[in-house]
Amino acid sequence: MSVAVRQLENTVRDLLDGGKGLLAADESTGTITKRFEAVGVASTEDNRRAFRELMFSTDDVERWLGGVILYDETIRQSTSDGTPMPGALVQRGIVPGIKVDRGAMPLALSPGEKVTEGLDGLRGRFEEYRDLGARFAKWRAVVELGDGIPTRAALTANAHAMARYAALAQEAGLVPIVEPEAIMDGTQSIDRSAEVSGAMLRELFAQLTDQGVVLEGLLVKTNMVVSGYRGAQQAGPDEVAERTVQVLRRNVPAAVPGVVFLSGGQTDDQATRNLDAIARCGPHPWTVSFSYARALQGAAMQAWAGAPDDITDAQRIFRERVRLTAAANRGELDAA
Ligand code: 13P
């Protein structure tokens, strides 16, 4: 089966052109429950719908967001006026996407490591998601850093699964976002973060090539190369930018149209400043942008938790965070 490359390229353009980025609103029910509990909100289906509708209906966000990644529950929900969620995004010119992996499970015989599952039945699920309006998809693999890990076994198992997902996505006409994430909450140096991030990307592109995935029709989503959050030394934005761009240039082919970053537990301010520094050291071989969950949503969620019946404050905070992140993505944070 041949891949409709033109269609994939159009989707990439709709997602990233004009300096736009993505909102990752695709937390699984387990993850969003943790986030809600941290701000004292009950994780009911209706609360999850309400918070997501709050974000998707915020004034002006379509100026800065080209796409939103949804979770399986959300893509089937409707807004309070009865519009299906994906349709509500499309009405604003925002492309709906879908997280399709089924989460990271313990990797057999590799203590402390995980492999992402979700390939079984994925061809049929892609058909359904496409009918529901999704034009792109996401699959996340997580790699923990520690003594003797990641192992080759973890890197190859995750990259192989991700490449098979990407091939199925392209076959269905959806742009796959491949998301290898090295977890940054340890004590490692920025050198070690760079080493593992590079190894992950190298293995991923070997597997993508083996599976015949069209590099022009996918996006890479990955971590910035930062010092482990609990490490003794913390690199500033200029060093983070330099190391991140070096790892990407060495390992992501120029045929790939875009690289988007996750925020990965950075504070809102760090995620914005580091993105700004990365933008300022361009031009890059690929479009570079953001695809944040926590660094866009965190403060708005907290405000909403404090006043669930009056969403104005939460929407104002969300709008401002998206606006600043988009300014950072142009390297214009200081003027924003
Ligand atoms: P964070 O920006 O919170 O890291 O989330 C991004 C994401 O999509 C993780 O899969």
Side-chain angles (χ1 to χ4, degrees):
M1 177 159 177
S2 69
V3 171
V5 180
R6 188 67 57 80
Q7 178 188 347
L8 301 175
E9 288 173 339
N10 286 340
T11 300
V12 168
R13 213 167 298 131
D14 290 345
L15 290 172
L16 299 183
D17 260 19
K20 289 180 186 174
L22 308 180
L23 166 67
D26 62 333
E27 299 86 353
S28 64
T29 302
T31 301
I32 194 89
T33 297
K34 271 192 248 153
R35 306 262 189 271
F36 275 12
E37 278 172 357
V39 294
V41 172
S43 181
T44 61
E45 180 175 349
D46 199 52
N47 278 345
R48 295 191 290 270
R49 188 202 54 73
F51 181 65
R52 279 146 175 173
E53 180 175 355
L54 174 161
M55 292 189 287
F56 305 164
S57 61
T58 295
D59 282 346
D60 295 330
V61 290
E62 71 278 6
R63 289 164 58 187
W64 309 299
L65 295 178
V68 171
I69 316 172
L70 302 170
Y71 181 59
D72 181 81
E73 175 182 87
T74 321
I75 201 171
R76 302 170 194 281
Q77 286 175 325
S78 295
T79 61
S80 37
D81 73 2
T83 312
M85 284 292 187
L89 292 170
V90 171
Q91 277 173 8
R92 306 194 63 183
I94 298 174
V95 182
I98 182 76
K99 167 195 173 76
V100 301
D101 68 71
R102 293 212 148 127
M105 308 296 168
L107 178 64
L109 307 183
S110 288
E113 298 196 283
K114 291 181 174 159
V115 63
T116 298
E117 297 189 351
L119 287 172
D120 288 356
L122 186 54
R123 179 178 273 122
R125 289 170 63 215
F126 268 130
E127 276 172 30
E128 188 191 3
Y129 287 137
R130 195 185 46 204
D131 291 345
L132 288 166
R135 291 173 57 201
F136 70 103
K138 186 188 102 172
W139 177 289
R140 171 173 177 258
V142 285
V143 164
E144 301 277 348
L145 280 70
D147 245 6
I149 64 171
T151 61
R152 290 268 359 127
L155 293 177
T156 53
N158 276 295
H160 178 80
M162 199 140 47
R164 287 190 54 205
Y165 137 81
L168 285 163
Q170 291 192 337
E171 189 183 88
L174 280 78
V175 170
I177 297 183
V178 286
E179 182 183 4
E181 175 176 5
I183 300 297
M184 291 296 162
D185 59 9
T187 55
Q188 78 271 12
S189 66
I190 194 166
D191 288 342
R192 177 72 178 144
S193 297
E195 181 183 27
V196 172
S197 303
M200 236 169 32
L201 289 165
R202 262 192 304 286
E203 187 58 33
L204 174 59
F205 279 95
Q207 297 278 348
L208 287 167
T209 305
D210 283 354
Q211 299 296 324
V213 175
V214 178
L215 299 186
E216 288 80 0
L218 62 80
L219 294 174
V220 176
K221 170 164 175 170
T222 196
N223 53 280
M224 295 177 190
V225 175
V226 298
S227 315
Y229 302 145
R230 292 185 289 114
Q233 307 261 334
Q234 292 295 315
D238 290 335
E239 190 179 358
V240 167
E242 188 193 326
R243 299 303 299 267
T244 300
V245 171
Q246 183 181 57
V247 165
L248 292 172
R249 291 185 77 98
R250 287 177 175 175
N251 296 293
V252 178
V256 171
V259 175
V260 295
F261 294 105
L262 55 93
S263 58
Q266 298 184 54
T267 64
D268 297 358
D269 190 56
Q270 284 168 334
T272 319
R273 296 219 160 270
N274 288 337
L275 183 68
D276 182 68
I278 291 169
R280 282 188 285 101
C281 64
H284 305 297
W286 350 258
T287 300
V288 165
S289 192
F290 59 92
S291 175
Y292 295 166
R294 283 165 285 181
L296 288 177
Q297 299 181 35
M301 191 183 289
Q302 201 144 17
W304 173 69
D309 298 326
D310 179 5
I311 61 171
T312 15
D313 231 27
Q315 287 193 320
R316 184 182 50 73
I317 290 167
F318 181 63
R319 181 189 182 282
E320 183 60 3
R321 204 65 239 166
V322 179
R323 187 184 73 81
L324 286 176
T325 306
N329 196 36
R330 300 189 302 271
E332 294 174 358
L333 184 59
D334 284 341

